[in-house]
Amino acid sequence: MEQEMVKQIKQDEILRATLAGGEAVCFLARTTKLCDDARAAHGASPLASAVLGRTLTMTAIMCLSSLKNDDDRLTVTLDGKSLIGKVVCGGRTPALVKGYVEDPYLELPLNEKGKLDVAWAVGKDGNMNVIRDLGLKEPYVGRARLVSGEIAEDFAFYFTVSEQTPSLVALGVHVAQDTTVDSAGGILVQPLPGCSEETLQKLEKLADKLSSVSSLIAEYESLDDIMAYLFGEEVPYNILQRQEPKFECDCSRERIERALIAMGYEELKAMRDEDGKAELWCNFCNTTYDFTGEDLDELLASMRA
Ligand SMILES: [Zn+2]
């Protein structure tokens, strides 16, 4: 038998489904390309790719589960006061995410299971914050302490205590020998009010099948096949939506210009006189925006006009 030599990269996808006739809701995501795009943008180490990929995957799922309008924004911050520093991810509809970790080059010895030591990198001496700006007067702000630094457990705890929604969360990012991400994904299962005890028990048993989400993503041909494996005949499900998530920043030269203008004429003039140029950097996607002296003169002239 000839082995297939060409590595097929499947399109990323998030499925939204109801379970047991609407007793619970499930989001299942394949985010291999998204996580590898984030890795490439930041030149991230395998460990940082895993940390960022897990958080971005859940952020993409939360975009689908909790944002509605084009202007809605979601920000997830993990600050466990450990070696990787803060993890910050942003999301917008339908499932577009951006994000960074403070130290994208961090490397640590593997943990006792021989896996990337995400818990050590992230730490648990701090909080997870979720801010949802839904265009209302005040953004919605949720907070919970970090419980392990493994990220999936931290999200599960966050949903339970801060949003009063007990949740099953699993996240996985596998980094290949060549340091690219070769399989990544996640799942969120949330019982809805009125969920029967029988369904709850079946959902609790799911955890056993979710010990390695990245392996499921690698092994199964499609998310539909994974749904069939997870729920089979046990829990009937109904797929309502399919969405492609992407690592896509919303920064642009125009936005950066607006930020420069917002500094005020005198400040910007002083910067132009002292430095003769400006170099600005978007930490979410690692893009640098260069402004020459002439560019700054134009901006200053437009401010005078
Ligand atoms: Zn950007």
Side-chain angles (χ1 to χ4, degrees):
M1 286 288 282
E2 264 184 56
Q3 289 236 317
E4 193 184 352
M5 297 303 286
V6 183
K7 197 161 81 177
Q8 282 282 343
I9 296 193
K10 295 174 208 146
Q11 185 181 302
D12 284 346
E13 188 175 44
I14 302 179
L15 296 187
R16 179 212 294 262
T18 53
L19 305 176
E23 288 187 44
V25 61
C26 168
F27 294 86
L28 176 64
R30 175 172 54 230
T31 53
T32 309
K33 182 172 186 305
L34 183 164
C35 293
D36 196 55
D37 286 349
R39 174 203 61 80
H42 292 285
S45 67
L47 180 55
S49 299
V51 170
L52 188 56
R54 288 186 194 183
T55 314
L56 284 169
T57 296
M58 199 59 212
T59 303
I61 289 175
M62 289 167 78
C63 287
L64 272 196
S65 73
S66 67
L67 302 185
K68 288 198 180 85
N69 303 309
D70 286 352
D71 294 332
D72 292 353
R73 291 289 182 276
L74 171 69
T75 308
V76 176
T77 306
L78 277 64
D79 186 7
K81 313 256 181 336
S82 187
L83 297 168
I84 208 156
K86 281 185 192 162
V87 185
V88 184
C89 293
R92 58 203 162 101
T93 55
L96 304 176
V97 293
K98 59 181 181 179
Y100 67 91
V101 296
E102 282 187 321
D103 182 359
Y105 312 119
L106 181 69
E107 306 211 33
L108 291 170
L110 299 177
N111 66 19
E112 69 276 8
K113 290 178 189 159
K115 299 270 172 73
L116 294 166
D117 204 334
V118 167
W120 184 7
V122 173
K124 54 179 179 178
D125 183 19
N127 295 304
M128 169 183 295
N129 286 297
V130 175
I131 301 173
R132 285 193 190 88
D133 187 346
L134 306 176
L136 305 170
K137 223 175 192 177
E138 298 284 334
Y140 167 88
V141 182
R143 165 179 288 205
R145 67 183 171 84
L146 295 169
V147 289
S148 76
E150 286 285 353
I151 303 177
E153 289 170 28
D154 302 299
F155 272 109
F157 184 73
Y158 166 81
F159 285 124
T160 304
V161 301
S162 188
E163 304 195 359
Q164 289 83 47
T165 312
S167 304
L168 180 68
V169 179
L171 297 164
V173 174
H174 186 265
V175 182
Q177 285 292 341
D178 66 2
T179 75
T180 61
V181 174
D182 61 359
S183 66
I187 188 167
L188 169 66
V189 179
Q190 295 181 318
L192 295 172
C195 182
S196 69
E197 194 56 38
E198 188 195 350
T199 301
L200 275 180
Q201 281 176 7
K202 286 178 184 167
L203 294 180
E204 274 164 23
K205 280 193 229 146
L206 268 182
D208 301 337
K209 293 181 174 175
L210 289 168
S211 58
S212 174
V213 183
S214 56
S215 303
L216 293 179
I217 295 290
E219 283 164 26
Y220 284 86
E221 190 56 33
S222 69
L223 293 187
D224 298 78
D225 291 346
I226 298 177
M227 289 294 284
Y229 163 72
L230 292 176
F231 301 110
E233 306 285 302
E234 275 280 284
V235 183
Y237 58 90
N238 184 20
I239 295 169
L240 303 177
Q241 186 185 3
R242 292 167 189 275
Q243 179 64 50
E244 184 185 4
K246 283 183 187 164
F247 180 77
E248 188 180 293
C249 195
D250 52 357
C251 70
S252 65
R253 195 166 174 90
E254 290 68 35
R255 268 178 96 117
I256 302 286
E257 279 179 6
R258 285 203 295 274
L260 284 171
I261 289 169
M263 286 168 61
Y265 186 89
E266 295 305 327
E267 278 283 306
L268 188 58
K269 180 81 166 60
M271 190 163 107
R272 196 259 175 268
D273 291 344
E274 278 165 35
D275 305 334
K277 62 185 169 73
E279 188 183 275
L280 288 99
W281 172 65
C282 173
N283 44 12
F284 284 101
C285 65
N286 209 18
T287 301
T288 305
Y289 293 90
D290 287 310
F291 290 82
T292 63
E294 276 178 19
D295 293 336
L296 295 177
D297 288 340
E298 264 179 47
L299 276 183
L300 287 164
S302 75
M303 290 167 80
R304 272 286 139 107

